[in-house]
């Protein structure tokens, strides 16, 4: 609920800090004292248009800060703040601030908005407004006047099974999306069937294998290297072959040295070195032979490998993939063809699922329509019982439950719901928003809220001059109903009626004062004596009489 409102330099208000409480708070004061300024200031933090005319004369800027406190942040507010990526702890107050700077002329003001000191857009304030404050007054288009909320209000009144309908609706729509996607996929695949078969036949004939390209490329490189080195290898092998080769000479020298090595130690050492040379030369001969064998190439095999590489790479370019991805592409093609062949069976299953969910939705929505129709009759009777005490006995109220065309069905069912009124006998029913008299509209809304026995979606409800043009028993009836509604939350009423003011648990008096050429508006929280004096003033006018004080006391005691 709204716990405080701080205003700086708004029209006639220089500086004002107000604390609010639960229950019924009444705001009174003489005509022109500035009650509308308070509502205009509150409207700023609710996202209303920033107007330079609101900035107090002679000041460059103005600001309004409103604090809302909850036992726990309502889900609707949490969702809006989460979507906007504004961090607010569940148990901390919501401090909404709007600052405006005056522009040229009467408009063109610039403004900035903050929530808990975090900069936000004004659109976010408007989104939050319906959860924070429900304002009913002259030409108001929020709260119960807005037909978009009538659906949920009637369902809440009926305790209807709306959630089950919404759940089935979401599942039905998901099944329809799956069905449409499957149809599109099958149609698209079927259109490409011949081309798909031709591509698959080409790839099947080619039989690409994973990692085949790398192996073929390595084999080709080795063969090409052998082709390039073949002359050198032949010459080297010739040096090792025959009786006059270097290796044969080494071996002959070793045999001759072996015969005389015993004659001298140095000859023995020479023989050892020569033996090692023969061994190393022999190993070199073996390695050369193995290298020649490894680098040997078959021109026909090289041609086959190069042709294979060309074919694989050409296929990869054709299909826009790598050679290694060709086997997976074949599998996907086979899967697509299989899907075309088996698609009709799958499609039939999806069709059955969508049809079953559609029938389930329709059955639940039909049952919900019946609940709504019954609840509408009860609500109409309950509102009708409230109209006469509020001086609306000639008026009629009707809850219209209308079947929507199928293309407008949704998670809320297949009905449109709207509250309609007729203010005079024989007059046609019309939406609440089209009623001519603001006072009548406020009293209609009060009757409706009493019948619904709930405060609506907002944490704070404000009625602006709901008692305009009435008095006596009607004003008493309004006050009694306002007090009843305020019992479970917070309700603020701007009133000129002493009967309504006497019902308040908290009383604020709005006054205007002049100091030379400077006019100021102030707000005072009244104690019991102050309340009696203010209610007496409302009863008697400018001069407060003892009789008026006694009447005020009786009203307060009766409340």
């Amino acid at each position: 609920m709204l716990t405080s409102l701080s205003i700086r330099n708004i029209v006639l208000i220089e500086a004002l800090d107000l604390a609010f409480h639960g229950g019924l708070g009444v705001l009174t004061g003489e005509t022109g004292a500035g009650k509308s300024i308070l509502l205009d200031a509150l409207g700023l933090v609710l996202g209303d248009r920033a107007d330079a005319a609101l900035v107090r004369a002679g000041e460059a800027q103005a600001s309004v800060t409103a604090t809302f406190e909850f036992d726990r942040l309502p889900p609707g507010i949490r969702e809006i703040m989460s979507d906007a990526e504004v961090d607010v702890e569940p148990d901390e107050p919501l401090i909404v601030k709007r600052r405006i700077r005056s522009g040229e002329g009467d408009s063109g003001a610039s403004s900035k908005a903050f929530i808990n000191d975090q900069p936000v857009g004004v659109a976010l304030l408007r989104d939050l407004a319906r959860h924070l404050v429900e304002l009913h007054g002259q030409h108001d288009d929020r709260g119960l006047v807005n037909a978009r909320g009538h659906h949920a209000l009637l369902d809440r009144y009926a305790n209807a099974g709306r959630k089950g309908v919404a759940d089935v609706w979401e599942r039905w729509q998901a099944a329809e999306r799956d069905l449409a996607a499957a149809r599109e996929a099958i149609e698209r695949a079927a259109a490409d069937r011949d081309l798909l078969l031709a591509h698959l036949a080409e790839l099947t004939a080619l039989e690409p294998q994973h990692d085949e390209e790398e192996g073929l490329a390595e084999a080709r490189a080795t063969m090409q290297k052998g082709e390039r080195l073949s002359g050198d290898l032949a010459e080297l092998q010739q040096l090792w072959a025959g009786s006059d080769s270097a290796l044969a000479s080494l071996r002959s020298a070793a045999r001759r040295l072996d015969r005389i090595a015993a004659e001298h130690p140095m000859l023995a050492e020479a023989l050892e070195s020569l033996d090692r040379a023969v061994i190393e030369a022999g190993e070199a001969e073996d390695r050369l032979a193995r290298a020649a064998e490894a680098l040997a190439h078959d021109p026909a095999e090289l041609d086959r490998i190069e042709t294979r590489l060309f074919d694989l790479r050409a296929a990869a370019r054709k299909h826009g993939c790598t050679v290694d991805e060709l086997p997976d592409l074949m599998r996907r093609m086979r899967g697509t063809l299989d899907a075309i062949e088996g698609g009709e069976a799958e499609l039939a299953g999806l069709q059955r699922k969508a049809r079953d969910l559609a029938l389930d939705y329709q059955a639940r929505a039909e049952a919900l329509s019946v609940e709504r129709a019954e609840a509408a009759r009860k609500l109409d009777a309950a509102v009708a019982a409230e109209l006469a005490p509020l001086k609306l006995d000639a008026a009629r109220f009707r809850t219209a439950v209308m079947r929507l065309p199928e293309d407008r069905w949704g998670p809320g069912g297949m009905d449109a719901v709207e509250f309609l009124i007729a203010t005079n006998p024989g007059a046609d029913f019309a939406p609440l928003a089209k009623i001519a008299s603001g006072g009548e509209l406020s009293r209609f809304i009060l009757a409706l809220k009493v019948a619904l026995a709930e405060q609506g979606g907002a944490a704070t409800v404000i009625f602006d001059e709901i008692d305009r043009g009435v008095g006596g028993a009607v004003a008493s009836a309004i006050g009694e109903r306002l007090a009843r509604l305020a019992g479970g939350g917070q309700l603020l009423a701007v009133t000129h009626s002493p009967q309504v003011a006497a019902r308040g648990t908290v009383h604020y008096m709005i006054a205007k004062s002049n100091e030379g050429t400077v006019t100021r508006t102030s707000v005072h929280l009244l104690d019991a004596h102050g309340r009696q004096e203010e209610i007496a003033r409302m009863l008697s006018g400018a001069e407060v009489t003892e009789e008026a004080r006694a009447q005020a006391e009786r009203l307060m005691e009766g409340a």
Side-chain angles (χ1 to χ4, degrees):
M1 68 176 185
L2 176 66
T3 56
S4 69
L5 186 66
S6 178
I7 304 172
R8 297 292 183 271
N9 298 322
I10 295 290
V11 192
L12 301 179
I13 299 176
E14 184 175 15
L16 181 64
D17 295 294
L18 287 175
F20 294 95
H21 307 277
L24 176 59
V26 295
L27 295 91
T28 65
E30 295 181 356
T31 300
K35 295 184 289 295
S36 63
I37 299 175
L38 284 177
L39 297 182
D40 288 342
L42 185 59
L44 282 174
V45 296
L46 298 176
D48 286 354
R49 176 179 173 271
D51 192 333
L54 291 173
V55 181
R56 182 177 170 81
E59 300 293 338
Q61 70 175 29
S63 68
V64 182
T65 304
T67 301
F68 297 88
E69 296 187 30
F70 311 90
D71 292 336
R72 188 169 182 82
L73 210 60
I77 295 178
R78 285 203 307 271
E79 290 173 8
I80 292 173
M81 301 297 279
S82 176
D83 291 343
E85 298 183 348
V86 178
D87 296 328
V88 178
E89 295 297 326
D91 56 351
E92 72 175 326
L94 203 66
I95 303 173
V96 185
K97 183 175 182 178
R98 185 88 176 274
R99 187 172 63 222
I100 60 175
R101 291 183 178 275
S102 59
E104 297 294 330
D106 293 332
S107 61
S110 63
S111 76
K112 292 184 178 180
F114 305 86
I115 295 179
N116 290 18
D117 293 327
Q118 300 174 69
V120 298
V122 176
L124 179 61
L125 302 188
R126 287 193 286 270
D127 289 341
L128 287 172
R130 60 193 174 93
H131 297 283
L132 297 175
V133 176
E134 184 180 326
L135 175 62
H136 303 293
Q138 307 296 305
H139 314 298
D140 180 54
D141 61 354
R142 296 177 183 170
L144 295 179
V145 176
N146 194 327
R148 286 181 296 180
H150 296 175
H151 221 281
L153 285 169
L154 181 63
D155 288 348
R156 195 181 312 167
Y157 180 76
N159 193 25
R162 179 172 175 149
K163 186 178 185 304
V165 173
D167 289 344
V168 175
W169 164 265
E170 294 299 338
R171 288 162 50 206
W172 176 26
Q173 296 309 298
E176 290 287 357
R177 289 192 294 272
D178 291 343
L179 178 59
R183 280 178 175 147
E184 182 182 354
I186 290 172
E187 289 171 2
R188 187 172 58 248
D192 298 334
R193 183 200 297 261
D194 292 341
L195 182 61
L196 195 64
L197 285 169
H199 286 165
L200 185 58
E202 290 176 358
L203 291 175
T204 301
L206 190 59
E207 292 188 276
Q209 305 296 320
H210 280 295
D211 301 325
E212 183 180 7
E213 182 185 25
E214 183 179 356
L216 289 172
E218 287 180 358
R220 183 183 65 171
T222 300
M223 287 187 175
Q224 288 174 336
K225 197 179 297 181
E227 186 177 34
R228 190 176 66 250
L229 298 176
S230 60
D232 293 333
L233 289 173
E235 290 180 4
L236 286 170
Q237 285 180 308
Q238 186 63 36
L239 291 176
W240 259 259
S243 58
D244 57 347
S245 68
L247 181 57
S249 298
L250 281 175
R251 287 171 175 163
S252 176
R255 286 194 297 272
R256 296 180 67 177
L257 185 57
D258 183 56
R259 289 196 294 269
I260 62 174
E263 300 298 330
H264 194 280
M266 295 293 289
L267 293 176
E269 291 176 4
L271 178 60
E272 289 178 4
S273 297
L274 192 56
D275 286 340
R276 286 196 300 271
V278 170
I279 293 171
E280 291 290 337
E283 291 177 354
E285 181 183 33
D286 291 340
R287 290 192 178 104
L288 182 60
R290 289 199 299 273
E293 183 180 351
L295 291 169
H297 70 283
D298 179 354
E301 179 64 13
L302 178 59
D303 184 61
R304 185 196 69 78
I305 289 174
E306 288 184 331
T307 301
R308 177 70 174 171
L309 275 173
F310 176 83
D311 291 343
L312 289 170
R313 288 170 177 173
R317 284 194 301 271
K318 180 177 181 178
H319 295 288
C321 63
T322 66
V323 171
D324 282 342
E325 290 172 339
L326 289 174
D328 293 331
L329 177 63
M330 289 177 61
R331 277 194 290 274
R332 289 197 298 273
M333 288 181 176
R334 290 192 183 101
T336 303
L337 288 169
D338 291 342
I340 295 173
E341 295 172 3
E344 292 301 324
E346 180 184 358
L347 202 63
L350 290 173
Q351 287 173 328
R352 284 193 299 274
K353 181 179 179 181
R355 184 180 64 250
D356 291 346
L357 285 169
L359 293 173
D360 189 10
Y361 169 81
Q362 291 176 46
R364 290 172 183 263
E366 290 281 2
L368 181 58
S369 294
V370 172
E371 291 182 73
R372 284 174 176 154
E374 179 62 26
R377 287 191 290 271
K378 292 180 181 178
L379 181 59
D380 292 350
V383 173
E386 296 291 333
L387 296 180
L390 297 175
K391 202 179 178 181
L392 294 169
D393 39 338
R396 291 168 295 150
F397 174 86
R398 185 173 75 192
T399 304
V401 181
M402 299 159 287
R403 179 62 56 88
L404 292 168
E406 186 173 345
D407 61 352
R408 293 182 59 194
W409 293 356
M414 51 180 64
D415 308 309
V417 176
E418 187 170 12
F419 300 144
L420 304 174
I421 55 174
T423 54
N424 298 301
D428 292 334
F429 282 93
L432 282 174
K434 295 185 180 300
I435 190 169
S437 165
E440 284 183 335
L441 174 60
S442 294
R443 296 202 301 280
F444 255 113
I445 290 171
L446 178 59
L448 182 55
K449 290 188 77 65
V450 170
L452 290 169
E454 60 90 40
Q455 287 196 27
T460 299
V461 180
I462 299 176
F463 279 94
D464 181 18
E465 299 187 0
I466 189 175
D467 48 13
R468 174 173 294 205
V470 301
V474 176
S476 294
I478 291 172
E480 187 273 329
R481 283 158 177 77
L482 290 175
R484 194 193 315 169
L485 282 176
Q490 183 185 50
L491 191 150
L492 301 175
V494 178
T495 179
H496 290 286
S497 168
Q499 290 89 346
V500 173
R503 290 278 183 175
T505 54
V506 183
H507 194 147
Y508 302 91
M509 186 183 73
I510 304 171
K512 184 167 64 176
S513 61
N514 297 303
E515 298 177 11
T517 60
V518 178
T519 302
R520 291 185 175 88
T521 290
S522 58
V523 182
H524 305 283
L525 177 62
L526 301 179
D527 58 14
H529 175 71
R531 288 187 64 207
Q532 183 181 5
E533 286 295 303
E534 173 63 3
I535 294 171
R537 180 199 65 76
M538 296 169 73
L539 286 164
S540 62
E543 183 179 350
V544 178
T545 64
E546 289 302 321
E547 182 180 352
R549 290 189 177 94
Q551 177 64 14
E553 185 176 4
R554 284 193 292 273
L555 285 175
M556 293 168 65
E557 289 175 351

